[in-house]
């Protein structure tokens, strides 16, 4: 007679829209695949889903219900950084691991909870490749455009610090709320058009990014003279942009993961899941967050078996009759062991090597992609050890992460306006004050400086010194209007 399997209750907190339902189905598929080849395991994860309803309160209520009424041993989720803060605190209080595959804000690491497991990349890990791109093209000023919430602002200190070390100025930071209207987005873009900097680094979630680039194209900012670089929150979804032409010429960075037979097989499975979840949906390849969700479920299944099968209950302490829900749930007796086992779990997943250090997934190399007519094209790769390289045959190097690199390692690139040459990065600002240059007026030796007056009382300044001055000003990596 077969030995009875031990159920381990696991909560899943997701926004149960079409994407959330599809992600939950992928997590379920991961466990089905895993237990099919590990039928000797005595434990089985039992998934209990809750809808976080797209906001912070919904995520908090879902987690409270799972901890108090279901007494789960772990929670997978939430989907977004803005929802994660309170859940991490609840996990710390109940000693239950909170495993996220998509909350990437660096600010979450500051909470320093041993029960927060980020099975995704910290956004600060992509600062290196973005700065390397800026250095490669010799741009000296950039403008940051980020989403006005915890996710958007989390990367800013790391980005500004890294750009400063590379001697790149950030003269302006544009902050756009997720609730901004199209007119408000346009107003902010028009403000950027009055400035001289034409290099923009965009860090926001895909829904807001799609609106930003749609409006930028409408008002003429997806044209020559402009360069747009996006973080992986946008680049991961390049191939699902509709239409892709709104982002023609945009450069993005996203995690590189090796193409394997396991991944090819999952792609077929993923299309079936999408079509079953939402038959009217267009089918795209799974993005990195789906792969991390799949790998998170595998890691948790392995850790649950390693942690053992005892004490799958809560120790509930007595509270006063007027206690709130925040005080009335207990502490998981298996949580510490499960967290330790999860932290030591390593395997090769769909998204590459799964290894946690200090509770976070370790950063792989990044690939640099360029939006062309039909979608994203890989034009290069980046590693902390080697900088920008043309092929994914990575070797070790003692180089510093922010050393200057060469654009020659990047493949053929299309820029906004369907141009093949990169923009210089600046134009003469429409609202800037002109530099006034005084020159001496001499009547004798005029080879160095010569001033003549025109009939309309304007002046004409010529001479060797003037030629040298004009050449120096033209060679600057930014525009300085002068007279």
């Amino acid at each position: 007679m077969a030995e009875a399997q031990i159920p381990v209750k696991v909560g899943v907190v997701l926004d149960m829209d079409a994407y959330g339902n599809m992600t939950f189905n992928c997590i379920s598929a991961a466990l089905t695949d895993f237990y099919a080849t590990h039928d000797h395991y005595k434990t089985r994860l039992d998934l209990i889903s809750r809808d976080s309803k797209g906001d912070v309160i919904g995520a908090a209520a879902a987690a409270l219900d799972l901890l108090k009424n279901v007494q789960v041993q772990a929670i997978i989720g939430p989907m977004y950084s803005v929802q994660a803060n309170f859940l991490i605190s609840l996990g710390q209080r109940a000693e239950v691991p909170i495993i996220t595959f998509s909350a990437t804000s660096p600010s979450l690491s500051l909470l320093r909870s041993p029960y927060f497991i980020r099975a995704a990349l910290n956004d600060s890990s992509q600062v290196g490749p973005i700065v390397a791109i800026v250095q490669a093209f010799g741009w000296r000023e950039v403008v940051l455009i980020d989403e006005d919430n915890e996710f958007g602002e989390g990367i800013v200190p790391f980005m500004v610090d890294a750009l400063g070390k590379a001697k790149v100025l950030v003269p302006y930071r544009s902050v756009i709320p997720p609730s901004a209207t199209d007119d408000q987005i346009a107003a902010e873009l028009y403000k950027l058009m009055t400035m001289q900097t034409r290099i923009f680094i965009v860090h926001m979630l895909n829904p807001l990014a799609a609106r930003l680039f749609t409006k930028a194209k409408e008002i003429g900012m997806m044209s020559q003279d402009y360069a747009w670089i996006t973080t992986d929150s946008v680049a991961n979804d390049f191939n699902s942009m509709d239409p892709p032409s709104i982002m023609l010429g945009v450069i993005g960075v996203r995690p590189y993961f090796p193409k394997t037979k396991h991944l090819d097989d999952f792609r077929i499975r993923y299309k079936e899941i999408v079509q079953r979840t939402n038959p009217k949906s267009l089918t795209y390849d799974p993005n990195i967050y789906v792969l991390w969700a799949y790998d998170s479920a595998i890691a948790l299944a392995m850790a649950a078996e390693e942690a053992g099968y005892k004490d799958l209950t809560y120790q509930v302490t007595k509270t006063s009759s007027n206690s709130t829900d925040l005080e009335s749930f207990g502490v998981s007796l298996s949580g510490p062991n499960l967290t330790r086992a999860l932290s030591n779990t390593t395997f090769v997943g769909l998204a590459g090597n799964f290894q946690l250090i200090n509770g976070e997934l370790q950063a792989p190399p990044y690939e640099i992609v360029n939006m062309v007519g039909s979608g994203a094209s890989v034009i290069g790769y980046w590693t902390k050890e080697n900088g920008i390289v043309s092929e994914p045959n990575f070797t070790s190097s003692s180089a510093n992460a922010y050393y200057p690199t060469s654009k020659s390692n990047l493949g053929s690139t299309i820029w906004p306006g369907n141009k093949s040459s990169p923009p210089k990065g600046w134009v003469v600002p429409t609202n800037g004050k002109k530099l006034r240059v005084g020159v001496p007026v001499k009547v004798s030796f005029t080879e160095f400086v010569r001033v003549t007056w025109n009939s309309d009382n304007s002046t004409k300044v010529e001479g060797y010194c003037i030629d040298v001055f004009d050449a120096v000003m033209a060679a600057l990596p930014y525009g300085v209007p002068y007279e």
Side-chain angles (χ1 to χ4, degrees):
M1 182 175 179
E3 188 174 353
Q5 296 169 350
I6 302 170
V8 179
K9 295 178 182 178
V10 174
V12 182
V13 177
L14 303 173
D15 293 354
M16 287 303 179
D17 50 17
Y19 180 77
N21 276 295
M22 178 273 299
T23 304
F24 179 79
N25 289 336
C26 288
I27 293 172
S28 299
L31 297 180
T32 300
D33 295 345
F34 182 76
Y35 289 128
T37 56
H38 294 76
D39 57 357
H40 61 284
Y41 270 34
K42 296 182 180 179
T43 54
R44 291 292 187 274
L45 298 191
D46 179 16
L47 300 180
I48 300 100
S49 66
R50 291 292 184 271
D51 187 357
S52 47
K53 300 180 180 179
D55 60 26
V56 177
I57 302 301
L64 277 171
D65 176 52
L66 290 167
L67 293 171
K68 180 183 177 184
N69 300 321
V70 183
Q71 295 191 343
V72 295
Q73 302 304 312
I75 292 178
I76 297 177
M79 298 181 71
Y80 302 111
S81 297
V82 294
Q83 298 172 328
N85 256 325
F86 191 60
L87 264 69
I88 294 171
S89 298
L90 291 176
Q92 173 81 9
R93 166 71 173 77
E95 297 186 7
V96 167
I98 307 295
I99 306 137
T100 181
F101 55 86
S102 56
T104 57
S105 173
S107 64
L108 299 176
S109 300
L110 301 178
L111 299 177
R112 301 187 185 282
S113 169
Y115 295 96
F116 174 49
I117 305 297
R118 198 201 306 260
L121 295 183
N122 188 320
D123 276 337
S124 63
S125 65
Q126 60 187 315
V127 165
I130 290 175
V131 174
I133 293 169
V134 173
Q135 288 181 291
F137 291 99
W139 296 319
R140 308 310 304 168
E141 289 188 1
V142 301
V143 167
L144 303 183
I145 306 177
D146 61 270
E147 191 165 323
D148 189 15
N149 54 29
E150 186 166 0
F151 164 78
E153 67 190 14
I155 198 175
V156 171
F158 300 89
M159 187 72 75
V160 171
D161 181 62
L163 290 167
K165 290 179 180 178
K167 296 181 172 57
V168 177
L169 299 177
V170 182
Y172 182 72
R173 175 188 167 207
S174 177
V175 182
I176 300 179
S179 59
T181 65
D182 288 349
D183 288 343
Q184 289 170 328
I185 293 174
E188 182 64 19
L189 291 174
Y190 278 123
K191 183 188 298 184
L192 296 179
M193 291 179 73
T194 67
M195 304 175 187
Q196 75 169 11
T197 305
R198 288 293 181 264
I199 312 300
F200 305 118
I201 297 175
V202 178
H203 178 62
M204 54 182 55
L205 295 176
N206 190 31
L208 183 58
R211 295 173 58 211
L212 174 80
F213 282 104
T214 298
K215 189 57 63 175
K217 184 173 179 62
E218 285 179 8
I219 67 177
M221 294 181 71
M222 300 302 295
S223 57
Q224 64 178 354
D225 294 333
Y226 291 90
W228 298 82
I229 305 171
T230 73
T231 59
D232 64 5
S233 58
V234 181
N236 285 329
D237 290 325
F238 267 0
N239 288 334
S240 64
M241 285 294 178
D242 187 24
S245 59
I246 64 170
M247 297 184 67
L248 179 67
V250 175
I251 289 179
V253 301
R254 63 190 186 192
Y256 167 80
F257 49 91
K259 308 304 184 283
T260 62
K261 185 179 184 305
H262 188 194
L263 181 57
D264 288 339
D265 292 342
F266 177 72
R267 281 197 174 102
I268 298 173
R269 183 90 173 273
Y270 176 78
K271 290 179 181 179
E272 295 172 353
I273 292 172
V274 172
Q275 291 168 353
R276 185 172 66 249
T277 305
N278 185 6
K280 296 182 179 180
S281 173
L282 296 175
T283 302
Y284 302 103
D285 278 349
N287 62 26
I288 190 66
Y289 304 112
V290 171
L291 304 186
W292 283 334
Y294 187 102
D295 289 349
S296 297
I298 300 297
L300 188 55
M302 295 173 69
E305 185 76 7
E306 178 66 25
Y309 331 113
K310 297 180 180 179
D311 297 328
L312 296 179
T313 57
Y314 279 35
Q315 179 180 358
V316 180
T317 56
K318 292 184 178 180
T319 57
S320 62
S321 58
N322 60 353
S323 295
T324 66
D325 281 348
L326 297 179
E327 299 173 298
S328 59
F329 59 86
V331 174
S332 170
L333 297 176
S334 66
N337 285 339
L338 181 58
T339 302
R340 280 192 293 270
L342 190 56
S343 297
N344 294 324
T345 297
T346 60
F347 63 98
V348 179
L350 291 180
N353 292 331
F354 185 97
Q355 181 181 15
L356 300 172
I357 296 181
N358 295 325
E360 295 191 340
L361 193 65
Q362 292 310 285
Y366 275 85
E367 60 183 16
I368 302 170
V369 292
N370 179 214
M371 277 294 281
V372 294
S374 57
S377 173
V378 178
I379 58 174
Y381 304 86
W382 180 92
T383 69
K384 184 176 181 180
E385 296 77 18
N386 301 286
I388 295 177
V389 293
S390 57
E391 298 292 339
N393 50 345
F394 311 115
T395 57
S396 298
S397 169
S398 59
N400 183 276
Y402 302 115
Y403 69 89
T405 186
S406 172
K407 62 184 178 183
S408 63
N409 288 336
L410 292 173
S412 177
T413 306
I414 297 298
W415 298 93
N418 205 19
K419 301 297 180 181
S420 58
S421 56
K424 61 184 178 181
W426 57 269
V427 296
V428 175
T430 60
N431 65 342
K433 293 183 178 180
K434 288 186 176 181
L435 173 67
R436 302 183 67 190
V437 183
V439 297
V441 178
K442 294 186 178 182
V443 295
S444 54
F445 187 75
T446 58
E447 297 300 318
F448 287 136
V449 177
R450 180 171 63 259
V451 181
T452 56
W453 276 265
N454 300 320
S455 58
D456 60 357
N457 207 32
S458 63
T459 56
K460 182 179 182 181
V461 185
E462 302 171 295
Y464 176 76
C465 290
I466 304 303
D467 292 340
V468 172
F469 180 80
D470 288 341
V472 170
M473 298 301 285
L476 291 175
Y478 47 83
V480 180
Y482 62 92
E483 60 182 5

